[in-house]
Amino acid sequence: MQFWALIVDAFRESRDRKIFWVLVVMTFVIVACMLCIGFEQDRVTFLFGAWEVEGAYYSPLSAIGRSHIIGLAVYLLVPVFLGWIGVILMIVATANMFPNLMERGAVDVLLAKPLGRPRLFLYKYLAGMTFVLFQAALFVGSTFLVLGFRWRVWVPGYLLCIPLLVLLFSYLYCVSVLVAVRTRSAVAATLVTLFAWVLFAAPAIALDTYEQFPGMKQDNRMYRTLRTVARIMPKTRDIPYLAARWTNAGVSMDIFPRTVMEAGLDEEKRAQLERAREKEHDELAKNPAFSIGSSLLFEAAVVVCAMWMFNRRDF
Amino acid sequence: MVGLTEMTNWAVDLIEVRKTYGRRIQALRGVNIQVGRGEIFGLLGPNGAGKTTLVKIMTTVVRPTQAAGTILGRPIGHRGKLGRVGYLPENHRYPPYLTGVQLLDYYGALAKVPQGRRRENARRLLDRVSMTQWADTRIDKYSKGMMQRLGLAQALINDPELLVLDEPTDGLDPVGRRDVRELLVELKRAGTTIFLNSHLLSEVERVCDRVSILVEGLVARQGTLRELTERTVEYRITVSGGAEALRGKLAIAGATVEGSVVTLSTPDLGRVNEVVDLLRAAGVLIEAVEPRRFSLEDILVQAMGRPLGRAALGPAATPPRV
């Protein structure tokens, strides 16, 4: 009863924010744009046939065409719209949930209820994710239907993007909550969370860069440290690969026709492209249990720390 | 141990409650307060005395440095018993996106009130605080007085055994204050224990059975209003004239003269008679002799260690340990 009350309240709170409606409108705009595009056997049509481009790379009738279409959704639509723009907006929108909760006069009534501080904190934490759950479900659900009905590509695995997006958001939300509990400031929570997002990805990016140079030794202290830190940190960069893996989308490069990519490229460029493709194959082959498990472990540690601070605090 | 405390008849039994903020600020320095079941108890004190801290400790909003005792027969902060407590904090803030009915339903659910009873209580309470017509309006449209009325309804949504009110009439107009007083008396009749923290002395005087005065984190006075106010502060002797000529003699007797009023700051009836004899001997006609009793304000001022205006009562009372 109490959990449900907090969930409903969180939804009402998020619905009261403009960002909520901005994201809803953006979703409908994207869905409308997708509806305007049609993939036929040998061509792509725009604006319901007003404009056509020949090409069989996106034909939903062929396996490679289906892969391209799914890749378009998994690597472009979801990560760019929800994975980047959406998550940033959601971080901003949810940053003041805990500062609002902890405001004098507001928290007093809640703490005087037979709930207990740890439970109140955890319920509120989970309730905070209803915002992203709703937005992810709306976006992925509606694009799933467009993929199916309009583009004739039914991919049930694509719906896993919903929990994956919630997961990505939760890796960051824990930081936002920790900062909010410590400072009671939504601005501080937003800025630190965005910085943390960069920080989480930094070790993995540094490792990638390191590995780009074949001459560099991979057994020195710096490399080992980077690898250890990358293993501990939440793996935000793995989310698109996990989505691709579960939707059998193949590697991201496939969304652009190989001939287009390779046309006019010199030997060195082609080699770089091949390395990138290999890298993505490696990413797709990663153990999802380790990626999600270690990230959740990090999140749990941050949440426990924030909860401890919340429990100790006088209001 | 729990069995024993369950048997206590106190609704609130606070023993040696201490709270130190940081290392230096001692908000509460060992407070002992007992509130009987079904009584209205008033907590008074100057700003910074620790009243709100004490209320917040009772409702688990603030963690005490040290505290023993019980609330409704269970240790302070007992989750089950918190469901039987209603609380209206000072300067409360409620989610602005909720309507009156939604707010009561939300806090009722958090207090584990079953849905059917929540709905019934919400409608009944909104009607009781004269907010029915605003039930479905977002509360960010409410005035301060309306928020206070809604806050009261919120505190009552779980039919509490103990109602803790921190400045309940704050922001209310005189009619609203009267309504609140009537509501409190009504609740008392129904058996609800009320713990009232208010700086409005007249309000406390009108409704409270017992009061406690908190000064610098300690209970300075505690008792029934009658116990606290039965002592006489001073006597006023109204004369028909001629007392000015006796000013010197009256001053020696400890009395002051202002126009036709002779004031004697003493509870000692013998000294009053001495002054009366003095006046009568000089042929002054006495119209009235009026004892002036302690008001709650006098007690509060005295407890704060300040002289009571003209009628200074001598050395300030030191806060006794209860």
Side-chain angles (χ1 to χ4, degrees):
Chain A
M1 186 195 295
Q2 293 169 323
F3 179 60
W4 183 244
L6 283 165
I7 292 283
V8 171
D9 179 65
F11 183 71
R12 282 178 176 147
E13 186 179 359
S14 54
R15 205 180 52 183
D16 194 49
R17 294 179 206 287
K18 283 186 183 137
I19 290 177
F20 180 90
W21 296 107
V22 167
L23 278 165
V24 169
V25 169
M26 281 170 72
T27 295
F28 282 114
V29 169
I30 287 175
V31 167
C33 291
M34 285 173 73
L35 283 171
C36 292
I37 303 169
F39 296 108
E40 304 296 332
Q41 190 166 8
D42 54 354
R43 64 190 189 280
V44 182
T45 64
F46 297 92
L47 291 172
F48 303 98
W51 181 45
E52 292 181 357
V53 176
E54 281 193 13
Y57 298 110
Y58 290 95
S59 168
L61 300 177
S62 68
I64 189 77
R66 289 167 60 85
S67 171
H68 288 160
I69 290 173
I70 299 165
L72 192 71
V74 169
Y75 281 109
L76 273 183
L77 280 178
V78 175
V80 172
F81 176 66
L82 277 187
W84 281 97
I85 302 168
V87 167
I88 289 172
L89 291 178
M90 286 167 200
I91 287 168
V92 174
T94 53
N96 56 0
M97 275 195 171
F98 268 80
N100 283 355
L101 169 81
M102 292 164 65
E103 254 183 337
R104 286 221 168 90
V107 73
D108 303 45
V109 186
L110 291 172
L111 291 178
K113 300 295 176 200
L115 194 60
R117 289 189 183 207
R119 201 181 292 186
L120 173 64
F121 177 90
L122 275 180
Y123 285 0
K124 193 73 187 173
Y125 182 78
L126 294 172
M129 283 194 259
T130 53
F131 183 96
V132 66
L133 180 66
F134 176 84
Q135 295 291 352
L138 183 70
F139 183 82
V140 175
S142 54
T143 50
F144 171 77
L145 293 176
V146 174
L147 281 172
F149 285 114
R150 179 83 175 111
W151 296 352
R152 284 162 286 158
V153 179
W154 288 102
V155 203
Y158 177 67
L159 292 173
L160 284 171
C161 287
I162 299 171
L164 283 175
L165 278 163
V166 176
L167 202 62
L168 168 66
F169 176 75
S170 77
Y171 296 165
L172 303 166
Y173 185 52
C174 64
V175 178
S176 173
V177 169
L178 177 73
V179 178
V181 169
R182 183 76 188 88
T183 64
R184 295 195 203 191
S185 161
V187 175
T190 306
L191 293 177
V192 174
T193 306
L194 293 175
F195 177 70
W197 197 358
V198 176
L199 206 67
F200 292 161
I205 293 170
L207 277 178
D208 285 354
T209 313
Y210 200 96
E211 285 164 359
Q212 291 291 315
F213 301 99
M216 298 284 274
K217 287 181 183 172
Q218 296 192 353
D219 57 350
N220 65 20
R221 185 179 289 176
M222 193 175 119
Y223 183 82
R224 283 199 305 269
T225 308
L226 275 175
R227 202 173 53 187
T228 307
V229 173
R231 281 181 177 174
I232 294 169
M233 293 281 200
K235 284 128 196 97
T236 51
R237 291 176 78 222
D238 287 358
I239 297 292
Y241 296 114
L242 291 173
R245 179 176 165 145
W246 288 334
T247 51
N248 297 315
V251 292
S252 61
M253 294 299 166
D254 285 344
I255 65 166
F256 298 112
R258 184 180 289 237
T259 48
V260 173
M261 282 199 309
E262 294 182 357
L265 295 180
D266 58 24
E267 201 63 35
E268 195 185 338
K269 286 274 184 196
R270 243 199 308 274
Q272 269 181 11
L273 209 63
E274 210 49 52
R275 274 206 297 277
R277 192 187 294 275
E278 277 170 22
K279 175 74 189 162
E280 289 198 353
H281 272 295
D282 292 347
E283 296 286 354
L284 282 169
K286 269 185 184 172
N287 180 3
F290 175 76
S291 173
I292 295 173
S294 59
S295 301
L296 285 178
L297 209 62
F298 181 93
E299 183 182 338
V302 175
V303 168
V304 166
C305 184
M307 188 161 70
W308 181 79
M309 283 158 66
F310 184 78
N311 275 351
R312 304 273 314 162
R313 187 151 206 160
D314 285 329
F315 296 98
Chain B
M1 185 70 185
V2 171
L4 281 174
T5 53
E6 283 267 45
M7 287 169 71
T8 179
N9 202 35
W10 299 119
V12 177
D13 183 13
L14 303 177
I15 302 163
E16 280 296 305
V17 178
R18 293 173 187 274
K19 177 64 189 177
T20 306
Y21 290 104
R23 288 185 181 175
R24 287 184 177 179
I25 304 166
Q26 288 190 306
L28 298 173
R29 296 187 288 154
V31 170
N32 298 277
I33 284 178
Q34 283 76 37
V35 181
R37 287 181 190 262
E39 73 175 9
I40 304 183
F41 186 89
L43 186 63
L44 295 170
N47 291 340
K51 304 189 297 295
T52 297
T53 299
L54 185 66
V55 165
K56 286 186 171 187
I57 285 174
M58 286 169 63
T59 51
T60 74
V61 179
V62 165
R63 294 152 44 86
T65 307
Q66 179 196 311
T70 58
I71 304 277
L72 298 173
R74 291 283 186 170
I76 300 166
H78 183 273
R79 203 184 299 162
K81 285 296 173 187
L82 274 177
R84 308 297 306 133
V85 176
Y87 176 43
L88 173 70
E90 188 185 12
N91 301 323
H92 48 79
R93 289 175 66 93
Y94 295 124
Y97 44 84
L98 297 179
T99 64
V101 164
Q102 286 173 342
L103 183 125
L104 294 185
D105 186 67
Y106 172 51
Y107 286 113
L110 292 181
K112 291 186 170 177
V113 180
Q115 195 177 32
R117 213 177 96 207
R118 252 175 13 230
R119 284 187 185 155
E120 190 189 313
N121 282 2
R123 291 290 167 193
R124 178 175 55 80
L125 290 168
L126 284 169
D127 183 50
R128 183 63 190 83
V129 297
S130 311
M131 290 287 293
T132 302
Q133 60 172 326
W134 301 97
D136 297 314
T137 305
R138 271 173 64 115
I139 63 172
D140 54 2
K141 305 274 189 295
Y142 286 9
S143 67
K144 196 179 177 193
M146 289 160 80
M147 286 296 281
Q148 199 66 8
R149 286 167 186 271
L150 186 67
L152 273 167
Q154 175 278 127
L156 293 167
I157 190 71
N158 56 337
D159 300 319
E161 283 176 49
L162 170 66
L163 183 62
V164 182
L165 304 173
D166 200 349
E167 306 291 358
T169 53
D170 193 23
L172 291 179
D173 56 23
V175 177
R177 285 183 194 166
R178 191 199 57 200
D179 289 349
V180 170
R181 278 199 303 272
E182 285 173 3
L183 177 64
L184 296 186
V185 172
E186 209 176 280
L187 289 166
K188 187 197 163 184
R189 277 199 210 111
T192 309
T193 308
I194 299 164
F195 193 98
L196 176 66
N197 177 19
S198 174
H199 69 273
L200 289 178
L201 300 177
S202 58
E203 194 174 281
V204 173
E205 265 177 328
R206 284 187 195 187
V207 295
C208 290
D209 301 309
R210 292 199 308 130
V211 296
S212 187
I213 297 173
L214 216 56
V215 178
E216 293 177 1
L218 281 170
V219 174
R221 298 277 191 282
Q222 185 166 254
T224 63
L225 279 170
R226 190 168 178 171
E227 282 166 4
L228 293 174
T229 58
E230 70 185 355
R231 243 182 94 196
T232 303
V233 185
E234 62 184 19
Y235 284 89
R236 288 181 180 204
I237 306 166
T238 311
V239 296
S240 60
E244 290 286 345
L246 299 168
R247 187 179 288 274
K249 286 183 181 174
L250 287 170
I252 292 166
T256 56
V257 184
E258 253 181 51
S260 60
V261 177
V262 177
T263 308
L264 188 63
S265 305
T266 177
D268 184 358
L269 204 57
R271 284 180 60 199
V272 178
N273 277 297
E274 281 173 20
V275 173
V276 170
D277 290 346
L278 186 70
L279 291 165
R280 291 291 298 122
V284 177
L285 291 175
I286 293 169
E287 288 181 1
V289 179
E290 291 172 292
R292 193 171 75 81
R293 307 253 181 229
F294 264 107
S295 70
L296 213 45
E297 187 179 341
D298 292 328
I299 295 169
L300 182 63
V301 171
Q302 190 199 32
M304 287 165 66
R306 292 182 186 168
L308 296 174
R310 286 180 307 140
L313 290 172
T318 45
R321 293 221 169 235
V322 178

